[in-house]
Amino acid sequence: MNILILGGNRFVGKSIADTLSSNNTVTVLNRTGTPNSVCTVIKCDRDNVDDLKTYIGNVKYDLIIDMCCYNYRQVQELESVLTHLPDKYICMSTLAVTEPAFGDYTEGKLKVEYYLSMISKLPYVILRPGYILGEGNPHKRIQYYTEQLINNQPIDVAEDGNFPIVVAAKDEIVEDVLSAISSQRTRYIKFDTRGFNTTPNKLITYLTEHTKHTPTIEYNSVGTLFDIQIKSSDKQYNRDELLRTLVIDLYEHYYLINYYKNVLL
């Protein structure tokens, strides 16, 4: 297949690009133009419609995966420049749209979903992951907890830390994308995107039990890494032991990074 990934230069998008490139022709388009040895890279700001049209307007893509769509105008503009619509368009949304709007991010994602389902002619599939955990996470969620524990610094937590959140493993989100690609179905929301029901306090508990170290927690903090309450009623999200393993593995990964950084410096 000829595949275009909008974004695709870090974290989940990069993992998807790397995975698909083994058997497909993959192009990634993003503002930074970050080099990728296995993909064609286009440096382009998608909000510059003229440049977007120049680079991709006349190319026939079998599949477009959109990792960085934050408002409906971006979908509208993408659709307007494409001479040939793809056979499938996968849009990465967020599970937070199922809750009351939390700021511009979730409101923008909700409007994207509305535009795709009610107006657009794109053969879309919408994925709704929760907070995504994994190596290379630019938001440093478990990395932040790890560094605070190692350095005996307080951990900032929103409210009382007991509110529900859904977290997802990066590798499982990649698998969800592959599943959506293999399916013949289009124009639907993939409600079974995988994840784990948990709370910020439970994530911290996994780490404190593993490290035997009790941190100072600053509750009711502002601007924390987990501040949107999300919960799924899907029973498959209740996988505590698997989540515990994921969190501890990430802790060990970031612990080693911190250790070697200190040794080398």
Side-chain angles (χ1 to χ4, degrees), residues 166-200:
V166 170
V167 299
K170 176 181 70 172
D171 292 345
E172 289 195 332
I173 298 303
V174 174
E175 288 297 324
D176 282 330
V177 171
L178 297 179
S179 174
I181 293 172
S182 64
S183 170
Q184 298 299 310
R185 188 180 173 195
T186 60
R187 299 195 66 83
Y188 74 102
I189 297 173
K190 185 174 171 60
F191 288 107
D192 59 345
T193 304
R194 283 173 281 190
F196 305 89
N197 280 324
T198 188
T199 67

PDB file of all heavy atoms in Angstrom, residues 166-200:
ATOM      1  N   VAL A 166      -8.188   6.552  32.000  1.00  0.00           N
ATOM      2  CA  VAL A 166      -7.889   5.407  31.144  1.00  0.00           C
ATOM      3  C   VAL A 166      -6.508   5.638  30.537  1.00  0.00           C
ATOM      4  O   VAL A 166      -6.256   6.689  29.947  1.00  0.00           O
ATOM      5  CB  VAL A 166      -8.931   5.240  30.022  1.00  0.00           C
ATOM      6  CG1 VAL A 166      -8.451   4.201  29.005  1.00  0.00           C
ATOM      7  CG2 VAL A 166     -10.271   4.820  30.599  1.00  0.00           C
ATOM      8  N   VAL A 167      -5.620   4.682  30.722  1.00  0.00           N
ATOM      9  CA  VAL A 167      -4.306   4.742  30.099  1.00  0.00           C
ATOM     10  C   VAL A 167      -4.195   3.593  29.103  1.00  0.00           C
ATOM     11  O   VAL A 167      -4.881   2.573  29.233  1.00  0.00           O
ATOM     12  CB  VAL A 167      -3.164   4.672  31.134  1.00  0.00           C
ATOM     13  CG1 VAL A 167      -3.241   5.848  32.091  1.00  0.00           C
ATOM     14  CG2 VAL A 167      -3.189   3.353  31.905  1.00  0.00           C
ATOM     15  N   ALA A 168      -3.350   3.771  28.110  1.00  0.00           N
ATOM     16  CA  ALA A 168      -3.176   2.763  27.076  1.00  0.00           C
ATOM     17  C   ALA A 168      -1.696   2.550  26.815  1.00  0.00           C
ATOM     18  O   ALA A 168      -0.900   3.477  26.938  1.00  0.00           O
ATOM     19  CB  ALA A 168      -3.872   3.209  25.785  1.00  0.00           C
ATOM     20  N   ALA A 169      -1.327   1.333  26.477  1.00  0.00           N
ATOM     21  CA  ALA A 169       0.060   1.020  26.124  1.00  0.00           C
ATOM     22  C   ALA A 169       0.300   1.382  24.667  1.00  0.00           C
ATOM     23  O   ALA A 169      -0.527   1.093  23.800  1.00  0.00           O
ATOM     24  CB  ALA A 169       0.342  -0.459  26.349  1.00  0.00           C
ATOM     25  N   LYS A 170       1.430   2.018  24.391  1.00  0.00           N
ATOM     26  CA  LYS A 170       1.755   2.426  23.026  1.00  0.00           C
ATOM     27  C   LYS A 170       1.656   1.257  22.047  1.00  0.00           C
ATOM     28  O   LYS A 170       1.056   1.392  20.969  1.00  0.00           O
ATOM     29  CB  LYS A 170       3.172   3.014  22.976  1.00  0.00           C
ATOM     30  CG  LYS A 170       3.641   3.391  21.574  1.00  0.00           C
ATOM     31  CD  LYS A 170       5.053   3.937  21.575  1.00  0.00           C
ATOM     32  CE  LYS A 170       6.083   2.880  21.878  1.00  0.00           C
ATOM     33  NZ  LYS A 170       7.477   3.379  21.679  1.00  0.00           N
ATOM     34  N   ASP A 171       2.206   0.107  22.416  1.00  0.00           N
ATOM     35  CA  ASP A 171       2.212  -1.037  21.502  1.00  0.00           C
ATOM     36  C   ASP A 171       0.804  -1.520  21.189  1.00  0.00           C
ATOM     37  O   ASP A 171       0.533  -1.997  20.079  1.00  0.00           O
ATOM     38  CB  ASP A 171       3.040  -2.177  22.091  1.00  0.00           C
ATOM     39  CG  ASP A 171       4.530  -1.837  22.155  1.00  0.00           C
ATOM     40  OD1 ASP A 171       4.938  -0.865  21.487  1.00  0.00           O
ATOM     41  OD2 ASP A 171       5.271  -2.532  22.876  1.00  0.00           O
ATOM     42  N   GLU A 172      -0.098  -1.417  22.170  1.00  0.00           N
ATOM     43  CA  GLU A 172      -1.476  -1.844  21.924  1.00  0.00           C
ATOM     44  C   GLU A 172      -2.193  -0.872  20.990  1.00  0.00           C
ATOM     45  O   GLU A 172      -3.046  -1.287  20.195  1.00  0.00           O
ATOM     46  CB  GLU A 172      -2.238  -1.986  23.239  1.00  0.00           C
ATOM     47  CG  GLU A 172      -1.792  -3.178  24.056  1.00  0.00           C
ATOM     48  CD  GLU A 172      -2.767  -3.525  25.171  1.00  0.00           C
ATOM     49  OE1 GLU A 172      -3.464  -2.613  25.669  1.00  0.00           O
ATOM     50  OE2 GLU A 172      -2.828  -4.703  25.542  1.00  0.00           O
ATOM     51  N   ILE A 173      -1.869   0.415  21.071  1.00  0.00           N
ATOM     52  CA  ILE A 173      -2.477   1.374  20.152  1.00  0.00           C
ATOM     53  C   ILE A 173      -1.994   1.108  18.729  1.00  0.00           C
ATOM     54  O   ILE A 173      -2.769   1.199  17.767  1.00  0.00           O
ATOM     55  CB  ILE A 173      -2.154   2.820  20.579  1.00  0.00           C
ATOM     56  CG1 ILE A 173      -2.735   3.092  21.972  1.00  0.00           C
ATOM     57  CG2 ILE A 173      -2.706   3.817  19.571  1.00  0.00           C
ATOM     58  CD1 ILE A 173      -4.222   2.857  22.097  1.00  0.00           C
ATOM     59  N   VAL A 174      -0.721   0.753  18.584  1.00  0.00           N
ATOM     60  CA  VAL A 174      -0.219   0.369  17.259  1.00  0.00           C
ATOM     61  C   VAL A 174      -0.999  -0.832  16.737  1.00  0.00           C
ATOM     62  O   VAL A 174      -1.387  -0.876  15.566  1.00  0.00           O
ATOM     63  CB  VAL A 174       1.294   0.059  17.326  1.00  0.00           C
ATOM     64  CG1 VAL A 174       1.793  -0.480  15.976  1.00  0.00           C
ATOM     65  CG2 VAL A 174       2.078   1.310  17.706  1.00  0.00           C
ATOM     66  N   GLU A 175      -1.257  -1.810  17.615  1.00  0.00           N
ATOM     67  CA  GLU A 175      -2.030  -2.988  17.217  1.00  0.00           C
ATOM     68  C   GLU A 175      -3.463  -2.597  16.827  1.00  0.00           C
ATOM     69  O   GLU A 175      -4.037  -3.168  15.895  1.00  0.00           O
ATOM     70  CB  GLU A 175      -2.055  -4.011  18.351  1.00  0.00           C
ATOM     71  CG  GLU A 175      -0.726  -4.718  18.581  1.00  0.00           C
ATOM     72  CD  GLU A 175      -0.291  -5.541  17.386  1.00  0.00           C
ATOM     73  OE1 GLU A 175      -1.162  -6.128  16.712  1.00  0.00           O
ATOM     74  OE2 GLU A 175       0.922  -5.569  17.115  1.00  0.00           O
ATOM     75  N   ASP A 176      -4.040  -1.636  17.529  1.00  0.00           N
ATOM     76  CA  ASP A 176      -5.383  -1.170  17.178  1.00  0.00           C
ATOM     77  C   ASP A 176      -5.404  -0.540  15.788  1.00  0.00           C
ATOM     78  O   ASP A 176      -6.365  -0.707  15.025  1.00  0.00           O
ATOM     79  CB  ASP A 176      -5.884  -0.157  18.212  1.00  0.00           C
ATOM     80  CG  ASP A 176      -6.380  -0.810  19.485  1.00  0.00           C
ATOM     81  OD1 ASP A 176      -6.876  -1.948  19.416  1.00  0.00           O
ATOM     82  OD2 ASP A 176      -6.263  -0.194  20.553  1.00  0.00           O
ATOM     83  N   VAL A 177      -4.351   0.192  15.469  1.00  0.00           N
ATOM     84  CA  VAL A 177      -4.257   0.784  14.129  1.00  0.00           C
ATOM     85  C   VAL A 177      -4.149  -0.311  13.071  1.00  0.00           C
ATOM     86  O   VAL A 177      -4.836  -0.274  12.041  1.00  0.00           O
ATOM     87  CB  VAL A 177      -3.046   1.740  14.041  1.00  0.00           C
ATOM     88  CG1 VAL A 177      -2.806   2.182  12.595  1.00  0.00           C
ATOM     89  CG2 VAL A 177      -3.261   2.963  14.927  1.00  0.00           C
ATOM     90  N   LEU A 178      -3.316  -1.307  13.323  1.00  0.00           N
ATOM     91  CA  LEU A 178      -3.175  -2.415  12.376  1.00  0.00           C
ATOM     92  C   LEU A 178      -4.495  -3.158  12.190  1.00  0.00           C
ATOM     93  O   LEU A 178      -4.843  -3.581  11.080  1.00  0.00           O
ATOM     94  CB  LEU A 178      -2.086  -3.381  12.855  1.00  0.00           C
ATOM     95  CG  LEU A 178      -0.668  -2.812  12.953  1.00  0.00           C
ATOM     96  CD1 LEU A 178       0.296  -3.881  13.473  1.00  0.00           C
ATOM     97  CD2 LEU A 178      -0.203  -2.277  11.619  1.00  0.00           C
ATOM     98  N   SER A 179      -5.252  -3.316  13.290  1.00  0.00           N
ATOM     99  CA  SER A 179      -6.559  -3.968  13.215  1.00  0.00           C
ATOM    100  C   SER A 179      -7.522  -3.159  12.353  1.00  0.00           C
ATOM    101  O   SER A 179      -8.269  -3.718  11.538  1.00  0.00           O
ATOM    102  CB  SER A 179      -7.136  -4.145  14.620  1.00  0.00           C
ATOM    103  OG  SER A 179      -8.455  -4.642  14.581  1.00  0.00           O
ATOM    104  N   ALA A 180      -7.511  -1.838  12.525  1.00  0.00           N
ATOM    105  CA  ALA A 180      -8.386  -0.978  11.725  1.00  0.00           C
ATOM    106  C   ALA A 180      -8.009  -1.024  10.250  1.00  0.00           C
ATOM    107  O   ALA A 180      -8.875  -0.958   9.376  1.00  0.00           O
ATOM    108  CB  ALA A 180      -8.310   0.456  12.245  1.00  0.00           C
ATOM    109  N   ILE A 181      -6.715  -1.150   9.979  1.00  0.00           N
ATOM    110  CA  ILE A 181      -6.260  -1.232   8.591  1.00  0.00           C
ATOM    111  C   ILE A 181      -6.735  -2.524   7.943  1.00  0.00           C
ATOM    112  O   ILE A 181      -7.202  -2.527   6.791  1.00  0.00           O
ATOM    113  CB  ILE A 181      -4.721  -1.146   8.527  1.00  0.00           C
ATOM    114  CG1 ILE A 181      -4.236   0.246   8.955  1.00  0.00           C
ATOM    115  CG2 ILE A 181      -4.216  -1.471   7.122  1.00  0.00           C
ATOM    116  CD1 ILE A 181      -2.731   0.342   9.111  1.00  0.00           C
ATOM    117  N   SER A 182      -6.637  -3.623   8.662  1.00  0.00           N
ATOM    118  CA  SER A 182      -6.983  -4.931   8.090  1.00  0.00           C
ATOM    119  C   SER A 182      -8.482  -5.113   7.894  1.00  0.00           C
ATOM    120  O   SER A 182      -8.918  -5.923   7.072  1.00  0.00           O
ATOM    121  CB  SER A 182      -6.438  -6.052   8.980  1.00  0.00           C
ATOM    122  OG  SER A 182      -7.053  -6.023  10.255  1.00  0.00           O
ATOM    123  N   SER A 183      -9.286  -4.365   8.630  1.00  0.00           N
ATOM    124  CA  SER A 183     -10.735  -4.476   8.498  1.00  0.00           C
ATOM    125  C   SER A 183     -11.210  -3.819   7.207  1.00  0.00           C
ATOM    126  O   SER A 183     -10.655  -2.817   6.762  1.00  0.00           O
ATOM    127  CB  SER A 183     -11.413  -3.810   9.700  1.00  0.00           C
ATOM    128  OG  SER A 183     -12.806  -3.709   9.496  1.00  0.00           O
ATOM    129  N   GLN A 184     -12.251  -4.377   6.610  1.00  0.00           N
ATOM    130  CA  GLN A 184     -12.841  -3.792   5.406  1.00  0.00           C
ATOM    131  C   GLN A 184     -13.801  -2.660   5.739  1.00  0.00           C
ATOM    132  O   GLN A 184     -14.226  -1.912   4.864  1.00  0.00           O
ATOM    133  CB  GLN A 184     -13.600  -4.875   4.627  1.00  0.00           C
ATOM    134  CG  GLN A 184     -12.725  -6.006   4.128  1.00  0.00           C
ATOM    135  CD  GLN A 184     -11.649  -5.526   3.177  1.00  0.00           C
ATOM    136  OE1 GLN A 184     -11.916  -4.797   2.229  1.00  0.00           O
ATOM    137  NE2 GLN A 184     -10.406  -5.919   3.449  1.00  0.00           N
ATOM    138  N   ARG A 185     -14.096  -2.503   7.000  1.00  0.00           N
ATOM    139  CA  ARG A 185     -15.116  -1.545   7.423  1.00  0.00           C
ATOM    140  C   ARG A 185     -14.569  -0.114   7.453  1.00  0.00           C
ATOM    141  O   ARG A 185     -13.417   0.113   7.798  1.00  0.00           O
ATOM    142  CB  ARG A 185     -15.608  -1.932   8.818  1.00  0.00           C
ATOM    143  CG  ARG A 185     -16.792  -1.154   9.316  1.00  0.00           C
ATOM    144  CD  ARG A 185     -17.170  -1.627  10.703  1.00  0.00           C
ATOM    145  NE  ARG A 185     -18.215  -0.803  11.300  1.00  0.00           N
ATOM    146  CZ  ARG A 185     -18.523  -0.816  12.581  1.00  0.00           C
ATOM    147  NH1 ARG A 185     -17.874  -1.628  13.403  1.00  0.00           N
ATOM    148  NH2 ARG A 185     -19.479  -0.038  13.050  1.00  0.00           N
ATOM    149  N   THR A 186     -15.405   0.849   7.075  1.00  0.00           N
ATOM    150  CA  THR A 186     -15.056   2.266   7.177  1.00  0.00           C
ATOM    151  C   THR A 186     -16.271   3.043   7.685  1.00  0.00           C
ATOM    152  O   THR A 186     -17.349   2.502   7.842  1.00  0.00           O
ATOM    153  CB  THR A 186     -14.617   2.851   5.823  1.00  0.00           C
ATOM    154  OG1 THR A 186     -15.683   2.713   4.876  1.00  0.00           O
ATOM    155  CG2 THR A 186     -13.369   2.170   5.295  1.00  0.00           C
ATOM    156  N   ARG A 187     -16.053   4.335   7.931  1.00  0.00           N
ATOM    157  CA  ARG A 187     -17.068   5.254   8.431  1.00  0.00           C
ATOM    158  C   ARG A 187     -17.661   4.763   9.763  1.00  0.00           C
ATOM    159  O   ARG A 187     -18.853   4.554   9.901  1.00  0.00           O
ATOM    160  CB  ARG A 187     -18.173   5.512   7.399  1.00  0.00           C
ATOM    161  CG  ARG A 187     -17.654   6.136   6.112  1.00  0.00           C
ATOM    162  CD  ARG A 187     -18.749   6.725   5.251  1.00  0.00           C
ATOM    163  NE  ARG A 187     -19.388   7.870   5.921  1.00  0.00           N
ATOM    164  CZ  ARG A 187     -18.900   9.119   5.916  1.00  0.00           C
ATOM    165  NH1 ARG A 187     -17.770   9.387   5.299  1.00  0.00           N
ATOM    166  NH2 ARG A 187     -19.548  10.090   6.538  1.00  0.00           N
ATOM    167  N   TYR A 188     -16.770   4.608  10.741  1.00  0.00           N
ATOM    168  CA  TYR A 188     -17.218   4.196  12.070  1.00  0.00           C
ATOM    169  C   TYR A 188     -16.188   4.621  13.113  1.00  0.00           C
ATOM    170  O   TYR A 188     -15.032   4.930  12.790  1.00  0.00           O
ATOM    171  CB  TYR A 188     -17.432   2.680  12.141  1.00  0.00           C
ATOM    172  CG  TYR A 188     -16.162   1.852  12.171  1.00  0.00           C
ATOM    173  CD1 TYR A 188     -15.689   1.298  13.364  1.00  0.00           C
ATOM    174  CD2 TYR A 188     -15.453   1.605  10.996  1.00  0.00           C
ATOM    175  CE1 TYR A 188     -14.542   0.535  13.384  1.00  0.00           C
ATOM    176  CE2 TYR A 188     -14.301   0.839  11.013  1.00  0.00           C
ATOM    177  CZ  TYR A 188     -13.848   0.308  12.209  1.00  0.00           C
ATOM    178  OH  TYR A 188     -12.706  -0.455  12.230  1.00  0.00           O
ATOM    179  N   ILE A 189     -16.631   4.649  14.356  1.00  0.00           N
ATOM    180  CA  ILE A 189     -15.748   4.891  15.498  1.00  0.00           C
ATOM    181  C   ILE A 189     -15.381   3.544  16.108  1.00  0.00           C
ATOM    182  O   ILE A 189     -16.262   2.744  16.424  1.00  0.00           O
ATOM    183  CB  ILE A 189     -16.439   5.777  16.550  1.00  0.00           C
ATOM    184  CG1 ILE A 189     -16.758   7.156  15.963  1.00  0.00           C
ATOM    185  CG2 ILE A 189     -15.552   5.933  17.784  1.00  0.00           C
ATOM    186  CD1 ILE A 189     -17.595   8.033  16.878  1.00  0.00           C
ATOM    187  N   LYS A 190     -14.102   3.305  16.267  1.00  0.00           N
ATOM    188  CA  LYS A 190     -13.638   2.034  16.839  1.00  0.00           C
ATOM    189  C   LYS A 190     -13.692   2.150  18.360  1.00  0.00           C
ATOM    190  O   LYS A 190     -12.751   2.636  18.998  1.00  0.00           O
ATOM    191  CB  LYS A 190     -12.223   1.718  16.355  1.00  0.00           C
ATOM    192  CG  LYS A 190     -11.683   0.373  16.787  1.00  0.00           C
ATOM    193  CD  LYS A 190     -10.331   0.101  16.143  1.00  0.00           C
ATOM    194  CE  LYS A 190      -9.652  -1.126  16.721  1.00  0.00           C
ATOM    195  NZ  LYS A 190     -10.434  -2.362  16.547  1.00  0.00           N
ATOM    196  N   PHE A 191     -14.808   1.711  18.933  1.00  0.00           N
ATOM    197  CA  PHE A 191     -15.028   1.874  20.364  1.00  0.00           C
ATOM    198  C   PHE A 191     -14.192   0.924  21.214  1.00  0.00           C
ATOM    199  O   PHE A 191     -14.047   1.125  22.422  1.00  0.00           O
ATOM    200  CB  PHE A 191     -16.514   1.673  20.691  1.00  0.00           C
ATOM    201  CG  PHE A 191     -17.389   2.794  20.224  1.00  0.00           C
ATOM    202  CD1 PHE A 191     -18.222   2.624  19.130  1.00  0.00           C
ATOM    203  CD2 PHE A 191     -17.380   4.025  20.855  1.00  0.00           C
ATOM    204  CE1 PHE A 191     -19.045   3.659  18.687  1.00  0.00           C
ATOM    205  CE2 PHE A 191     -18.187   5.071  20.426  1.00  0.00           C
ATOM    206  CZ  PHE A 191     -19.024   4.879  19.347  1.00  0.00           C
ATOM    207  N   ASP A 192     -13.626  -0.126  20.590  1.00  0.00           N
ATOM    208  CA  ASP A 192     -12.886  -1.107  21.380  1.00  0.00           C
ATOM    209  C   ASP A 192     -11.382  -0.847  21.368  1.00  0.00           C
ATOM    210  O   ASP A 192     -10.583  -1.759  21.540  1.00  0.00           O
ATOM    211  CB  ASP A 192     -13.174  -2.526  20.886  1.00  0.00           C
ATOM    212  CG  ASP A 192     -12.813  -2.724  19.416  1.00  0.00           C
ATOM    213  OD1 ASP A 192     -12.612  -1.705  18.715  1.00  0.00           O
ATOM    214  OD2 ASP A 192     -12.730  -3.880  18.973  1.00  0.00           O
ATOM    215  N   THR A 193     -10.979   0.421  21.185  1.00  0.00           N
ATOM    216  CA  THR A 193      -9.581   0.776  21.345  1.00  0.00           C
ATOM    217  C   THR A 193      -9.138   0.374  22.753  1.00  0.00           C
ATOM    218  O   THR A 193      -9.825   0.649  23.724  1.00  0.00           O
ATOM    219  CB  THR A 193      -9.372   2.290  21.153  1.00  0.00           C
ATOM    220  OG1 THR A 193      -9.894   2.664  19.877  1.00  0.00           O
ATOM    221  CG2 THR A 193      -7.895   2.652  21.202  1.00  0.00           C
ATOM    222  N   ARG A 194      -7.990  -0.275  22.864  1.00  0.00           N
ATOM    223  CA  ARG A 194      -7.616  -0.894  24.135  1.00  0.00           C
ATOM    224  C   ARG A 194      -7.078   0.111  25.163  1.00  0.00           C
ATOM    225  O   ARG A 194      -6.586   1.173  24.803  1.00  0.00           O
ATOM    226  CB  ARG A 194      -6.580  -1.996  23.879  1.00  0.00           C
ATOM    227  CG  ARG A 194      -7.215  -3.261  23.331  1.00  0.00           C
ATOM    228  CD  ARG A 194      -6.189  -4.280  22.921  1.00  0.00           C
ATOM    229  NE  ARG A 194      -5.616  -3.959  21.631  1.00  0.00           N
ATOM    230  CZ  ARG A 194      -4.825  -4.800  20.945  1.00  0.00           C
ATOM    231  NH1 ARG A 194      -4.523  -5.973  21.471  1.00  0.00           N
ATOM    232  NH2 ARG A 194      -4.342  -4.452  19.775  1.00  0.00           N
ATOM    233  N   GLY A 195      -7.186  -0.264  26.432  1.00  0.00           N
ATOM    234  CA  GLY A 195      -6.703   0.598  27.502  1.00  0.00           C
ATOM    235  C   GLY A 195      -6.914  -0.051  28.863  1.00  0.00           C
ATOM    236  O   GLY A 195      -7.318  -1.209  28.976  1.00  0.00           O
ATOM    237  N   PHE A 196      -6.632   0.718  29.923  1.00  0.00           N
ATOM    238  CA  PHE A 196      -6.739   0.239  31.300  1.00  0.00           C
ATOM    239  C   PHE A 196      -7.475   1.278  32.138  1.00  0.00           C
ATOM    240  O   PHE A 196      -7.133   2.463  32.111  1.00  0.00           O
ATOM    241  CB  PHE A 196      -5.351   0.048  31.922  1.00  0.00           C
ATOM    242  CG  PHE A 196      -4.413  -0.842  31.155  1.00  0.00           C
ATOM    243  CD1 PHE A 196      -3.594  -0.311  30.176  1.00  0.00           C
ATOM    244  CD2 PHE A 196      -4.338  -2.197  31.434  1.00  0.00           C
ATOM    245  CE1 PHE A 196      -2.701  -1.111  29.481  1.00  0.00           C
ATOM    246  CE2 PHE A 196      -3.449  -3.003  30.743  1.00  0.00           C
ATOM    247  CZ  PHE A 196      -2.633  -2.462  29.761  1.00  0.00           C
ATOM    248  N   ASN A 197      -8.462   0.853  32.907  1.00  0.00           N
ATOM    249  CA  ASN A 197      -9.064   1.720  33.911  1.00  0.00           C
ATOM    250  C   ASN A 197      -8.141   1.799  35.124  1.00  0.00           C
ATOM    251  O   ASN A 197      -7.697   0.772  35.647  1.00  0.00           O
ATOM    252  CB  ASN A 197     -10.424   1.159  34.365  1.00  0.00           C
ATOM    253  CG  ASN A 197     -11.537   1.480  33.385  1.00  0.00           C
ATOM    254  OD1 ASN A 197     -11.561   2.548  32.791  1.00  0.00           O
ATOM    255  ND2 ASN A 197     -12.469   0.551  33.225  1.00  0.00           N
ATOM    256  N   THR A 198      -7.875   3.004  35.594  1.00  0.00           N
ATOM    257  CA  THR A 198      -7.016   3.146  36.768  1.00  0.00           C
ATOM    258  C   THR A 198      -7.245   4.524  37.378  1.00  0.00           C
ATOM    259  O   THR A 198      -8.214   5.217  37.044  1.00  0.00           O
ATOM    260  CB  THR A 198      -5.524   2.936  36.390  1.00  0.00           C
ATOM    261  OG1 THR A 198      -4.741   2.895  37.568  1.00  0.00           O
ATOM    262  CG2 THR A 198      -5.025   4.017  35.445  1.00  0.00           C
ATOM    263  N   THR A 199      -6.374   4.926  38.287  1.00  0.00           N
ATOM    264  CA  THR A 199      -6.389   6.272  38.871  1.00  0.00           C
ATOM    265  C   THR A 199      -4.933   6.731  39.003  1.00  0.00           C
ATOM    266  O   THR A 199      -4.015   5.892  39.030  1.00  0.00           O
ATOM    267  CB  THR A 199      -7.031   6.304  40.268  1.00  0.00           C
ATOM    268  OG1 THR A 199      -6.182   5.577  41.180  1.00  0.00           O
ATOM    269  CG2 THR A 199      -8.431   5.695  40.257  1.00  0.00           C
ATOM    270  N   PRO A 200      -4.671   8.033  39.107  1.00  0.00           N
ATOM    271  CA  PRO A 200      -3.295   8.480  39.352  1.00  0.00           C
ATOM    272  C   PRO A 200      -2.694   7.856  40.611  1.00  0.00           C
ATOM    273  O   PRO A 200      -1.526   7.452  40.618  1.00  0.00           O
ATOM    274  CB  PRO A 200      -3.434  10.003  39.485  1.00  0.00           C
ATOM    275  CG  PRO A 200      -4.614  10.338  38.627  1.00  0.00           C
ATOM    276  CD  PRO A 200      -5.562   9.187  38.842  1.00  0.00           C
TER     277      PRO A 200
END
